[in-house]
Amino acid sequence: MTRPLRVLCLHGYTQNGQTFRDRMGPFRRSLKRTLDPVFITAPHIATEFQPDSKEEASESRAWWNRSGNVWSETVQSVRFIHKVMRDAGPFDGIVGFSQGSGMAAILMALMQAAHTQNSDHSDADLQALIKELADCPLPKFAMLFAGFYPELPQFDALVSGPKECKINVPTLHMVGKTDAIVPMERGQQLATQAFVDARLLVHEGGHFVPGNAAWRKQYQEFIDGLDLQH
């Protein structure tokens, strides 16, 4: 590997690009020779959050809100990320946390459909969205922390069925045994039902990205084991 791998980083619900960057400090520093992270901020305000001030409200962002039109907001986020990928890419991989991991899964499922022969869906709007993403290459890998399977019929349509429908991108999934926000089982569901041969790791803590030396070594080993020649 002659250069750091450029990775698009998708934050969790109520976070933004800067707060996610700050919280990923140990991760970033330990992999600074390996990864070149780009942190972006979701286009929607997180409406299910009770802020102390208007400024705090504007900084609490979401890829979608459960209280809104979930798929409509998700599509807007897909198009927003697609524009970033076109304008600031190419990106080698994606790093996601919590809702950002779910968003990454949706994005990769759509992009894979755009680049395969198994992309003829009866939903005309879904098919149109798939075609929009055909100009961006599928990420070569993803690292998804505290993620969950997005409960959306459109996502089900993309990844359910035979193995070839699942997302065929090398992925590392990290879930916490005591995560009270996204239970461990939801992260396991994302790894096993949406991806092919996902690598699933479990830590003893809650809703965060483990940053101690032992886990940082696991992250590095995952990246070192990737076949990035294609």
Side-chain angles (χ1 to χ4, degrees):
M1 187 168 58
T2 59
R3 61 170 177 81
L5 299 169
R6 205 140 187 269
V7 292
L8 186 63
C9 300
L10 307 182
H11 61 78
Y13 191 75
T14 76
Q15 293 181 334
N16 58 52
Q18 185 59 51
T19 57
F20 187 34
R21 184 182 188 279
D22 293 344
R23 294 183 184 185
M24 292 289 276
F27 178 91
R28 288 188 294 106
R29 289 189 291 271
S30 68
L31 297 173
K32 63 183 179 181
R33 295 183 180 179
T34 306
L35 300 181
D36 175 19
V38 176
F39 293 83
I40 63 173
T41 296
H44 306 293
I45 292 176
T47 59
E48 296 169 53
F49 173 64
Q50 300 300 319
D52 294 328
S53 66
K54 289 184 178 180
E55 180 180 358
E56 188 178 0
S58 67
E59 294 174 351
S60 299
R61 312 295 288 193
W63 301 106
W64 69 83
N65 288 285
R66 290 178 301 176
S67 59
N69 186 325
V70 176
W71 181 242
S72 176
E73 290 189 356
T74 301
V75 169
Q76 291 174 47
S77 291
V78 166
R79 288 177 172 146
F80 171 79
I81 298 171
H82 180 212
K83 186 176 187 304
V84 171
M85 297 179 85
R86 280 192 325 226
D87 295 347
F91 291 95
D92 297 292
I94 297 180
V95 172
F97 175 72
S98 195
Q99 192 188 58
S101 293
M103 186 71 241
I106 293 169
L107 181 70
M108 287 187 286
L110 289 163
M111 294 179 74
Q112 177 170 282
H115 291 282
T116 64
Q117 301 301 314
N118 302 317
S119 60
D120 187 15
H121 294 276
S122 58
D123 185 327
D125 292 336
L126 180 60
Q127 188 63 33
L129 182 62
I130 289 169
K131 289 182 178 179
E132 289 180 32
L133 301 177
D135 61 350
C136 283
L138 191 65
K140 298 173 183 176
F141 69 96
M143 303 175 75
L144 305 180
F145 298 91
F148 55 86
Y149 186 100
E151 299 292 343
L152 290 165
Q154 295 87 351
F155 185 66
D156 286 338
L158 290 165
V159 301
S160 61
K163 185 176 181 179
E164 56 264 27
C165 294
K166 298 186 187 302
I167 304 166
N168 193 14
V169 172
T171 49
L172 175 71
H173 298 251
M174 173 69 77
V175 298
K177 276 188 179 180
T178 60
D179 192 331
I181 297 175
V182 178
M184 179 177 65
E185 293 76 16
R186 296 191 69 195
Q188 292 171 327
Q189 180 189 13
L190 176 66
T192 59
Q193 295 187 19
F195 289 87
V196 175
D197 298 330
R199 182 176 177 185
L200 179 64
L201 299 177
V202 180
H203 66 91
E204 297 295 325
H207 197 64
F208 60 86
V209 176
N212 64 32
W215 287 118
R216 296 198 302 268
K217 182 180 179 182
Q218 294 260 29
Y219 307 151
Q220 186 66 61
E221 288 177 351
F222 168 73
I223 296 168
D224 290 343
L226 295 169
D227 178 9
L228 300 176
Q229 300 305 312
H230 58 284

